[in-house]
Amino acid sequence: SQTIHQWPATLVQPVGSPLSLECTVEGTSNPNLYWYRQAAGRGLQLLFYSVGIGQISSEVPQNLSASRPQDRQFILSSKKLLLSDSGFYLCACRQGRFGLAGTQETQYFGPGTRLLVL
Amino acid sequence: DQQVKQNSPSLSVQEGRISILNCDYTNSMFDYFLWYKKYPAEGPTFLISISSIKDKNEDGRFTVFLNKSAKHLSLHIVPSQPGDSAVYFCAASAVRNKLIFGTGTRLQVFP
């Protein structure tokens, strides 16, 4: 089974500073990778997903960008953070090109990064 | 437009009793549904799922029921345990590569 690593676990950044959050996956190849954000008291909002190296789909217009330089690495970035970027950022993985029979779109999540922009 | 709705933000249940968490959806194209459990400051953990060709799926203490005509699914936890206290998210899929999540229900199981 896959293991998803995220770092840092916690980050406090000033407004206007850059951001780089990293997600790496072990135990699977050709995964679909996802970035979600959970704002305080709200559900999970899909920000970006990637079906392969260099392939990024953006779900919502925003101050953030994503990149996938390697098969099992997914990076979330910003050039200038806003206060509204604060939240809990989650990386998720779906195994393979398509899920195993019966598992379909099941996604598995990393431990998350808590970002506080001051 | 919230396609997946969890209308109860919180639920409190006594230990040993049944917990029932509800989820409603609007998109009739959803064909796969999932429940996740989330503790504070941790990533969600996959619990159980159900395909739209079924109306029930059971895994230990967890059972998910799907009522397609009502566009409603529910998660039953029997018996409830204090360790079940967490936020539960339902999610649905209609398009490959994407899950749509509800806003979550906070379950508290008290002794």
Side-chain angles (χ1 to χ4, degrees), chain A residues 84-111:
Chain A
S84 58
D85 291 324
S86 294
F88 192 53
Y89 289 83
L90 291 155
C91 178
C93 164
R94 193 199 76 193
Q95 292 181 334
R97 182 56 61 188
F98 196 63
L100 297 174
T103 65
Q104 292 174 271
E105 292 294 334
T106 303
Q107 296 177 16
Y108 297 90
F109 286 81

Side-chain angles (χ1 to χ4, degrees), chain B residues 13-32:
Chain B
V13 173
Q14 188 174 29
E15 181 179 5
R17 300 211 177 243
I18 185 172
S19 294
I20 300 177
L21 296 104
N22 294 305
C23 181
D24 296 297
Y25 60 94
T26 59
N27 189 343
S28 58
M29 299 300 293
F30 285 145
D31 62 358
Y32 187 61

Side-chain angles (χ1 to χ4, degrees), chain B residues 36-81:
Chain B
Y36 287 84
K37 173 182 179 180
K38 185 181 183 300
Y39 293 118
E42 295 184 10
T45 302
F46 169 69
L47 272 178
I48 192 169
S49 63
I50 187 167
S51 167
S52 60
I53 63 174
K54 296 184 177 182
D55 55 20
K56 177 183 175 181
N57 188 26
E58 189 172 355
D59 184 1
R61 296 186 299 115
F62 302 93
T63 303
V64 56
F65 295 92
L66 176 61
N67 182 334
K68 289 186 291 294
S69 61
K71 294 189 178 68
H72 177 83
L73 70 154
S74 61
L75 175 68
H76 292 209
I77 306 174
V78 182
S80 300
Q81 300 174 354

Side-chain angles (χ1 to χ4, degrees), chain A residues 24 65-66 78 86-87 89 112 117:
Chain A
T24 59
S65 62
S78 174
S86 294
Y89 289 83
V117 182

Side-chain angles (χ1 to χ4, degrees), chain A residues 27-72:
Chain A
T28 187
S29 58
N30 299 318
N32 278 15
L33 297 175
Y34 305 82
W35 278 112
Y36 288 87
R37 176 172 59 204
Q38 183 186 19
R42 302 186 66 180
L44 300 174
Q45 181 186 33
L46 178 62
L47 302 175
F48 301 94
Y49 71 92
S50 171
V51 299
I53 295 173
Q55 301 179 63
I56 307 296
S57 295
S58 175
E59 288 299 295
V60 293
Q62 59 199 310
N63 184 44
L64 303 169
S65 62
S67 62
R68 186 166 175 178
Q70 301 180 41
D71 181 50
R72 288 173 281 182

